[in-house]
Amino acid sequence: MGRHGGSGPAAGFRVVPGAADSDVILHVPHAARLVPPEVRTKLLLDDAALAAELARMTDAHTDLLAERAARTARRAPWTFVNLLSRLVVDPERFPDGRESMRAVGMAAVYTRTSAGAVLRPDDPVEEAELLDRWYHPYARAVTDLVDARLAARGRVTVLDVHSYPSRRLPYEIGRTGRPAVCLGTDPVHTPDWLREAGRAAFAGCGGTGLDTPFAGCYVPLRHYGRDRRVTALMVEIRRDGYLVEPDGPPTDGLAALAGALATLVDAVDAVADDRTG
């Protein structure tokens, strides 16, 4: 796809183009369950245990939520979707010692499950191979997309689309609150107007919490902490609001939440238009 490189299962991600004048990227990192065969052979879980872990750790249907929001928004955002399970690599985690989740075996390459069982051997060679095969190409592709939108529009907002279970999982080290919608922020990349736009958009969906149970938002490392033209907000939706837990079919709540996400996309573009005008 032009400068974004190839996309699809072989690449591990899909880029869905939006409107030429859109400032928004919907990033969907944890919706997929696919584990390539060469990765599956290295995982120490049997099939039943792996299926249970995927049910707990997959942000099921968040790709559908983003797709519906993109169709509903007045100006279609760009969408970047991970096609592989986060048990392959987690593109949202730091690939080095900065990652706090390394303490529980869940850095960019997980070695422990959500309950602390051994997922794969703690092997630095295998970790490096997985990062080279999947993590770094993914990161480059997101970075290229952000750079392309910066070149076209002069600014970009990444809306990170996630979900989380209604009951806390053992691996979690964040805060304990579990609001209907959690908005994750960054002190550099989440300006006040974006945080408040998120609160307003999801106000009718059961209420929002800030940085609880999870904090932060995704910004490519090239821009992270450096480029304030890149703004970002994480949207974490509690799963009982839109699906049958743990990873069952969507409920009627999905349509309302997709509409709220579209409202947030529209709000971001409206702010961009005001600044351009």
Side-chain angles (χ1 to χ4, degrees), residues 9 11-13 29-36 81-89 91 134:
F13 58 85
H30 295 155
R33 297 173 62 95
L34 178 63
V35 178
V81 183
N82 186 7
L83 300 179
L84 300 179
S85 168
R86 66 198 295 184
L87 303 187
V88 181
V89 296
W134 300 112

Side-chain angles (χ1 to χ4, degrees), residues 21 23 74-75 153 155 266-277:
D21 55 349
D23 289 62
R74 290 194 296 267
R75 186 180 302 163
R153 297 288 294 163
R155 65 187 65 81
D266 291 342
V268 172
D269 277 329
V271 169
D273 289 343
D274 287 345
R275 292 181 175 181
T276 302

Side-chain angles (χ1 to χ4, degrees), residues 81-140:
V81 183
N82 186 7
L83 300 179
L84 300 179
S85 168
R86 66 198 295 184
L87 303 187
V88 181
V89 296
D90 190 334
E92 295 254 311
R93 302 280 163 86
F94 288 112
D96 51 34
R98 289 173 290 178
E99 181 50 61
S100 62
M101 296 301 292
R102 188 174 291 274
V104 293
M106 301 180 84
V109 175
Y110 295 0
T111 58
R112 297 294 184 271
T113 69
S114 58
V118 178
L119 176 66
R120 58 164 57 88
D122 191 357
D123 181 349
V125 173
E126 182 183 354
E127 178 178 353
E129 291 174 349
L130 287 167
L131 292 175
D132 286 344
R133 174 64 183 90
W134 300 112
Y135 182 97
H136 296 307
Y138 184 106
R140 286 193 294 270

Side-chain angles (χ1 to χ4, degrees), residues 154-172:
R155 65 187 65 81
V156 64
T157 296
V158 180
L159 300 178
D160 211 19
V161 185
H162 293 259
S163 70
Y164 69 99
S166 58
R167 293 188 178 183
R168 185 179 176 92
L169 294 175
Y171 82 93
E172 295 182 23

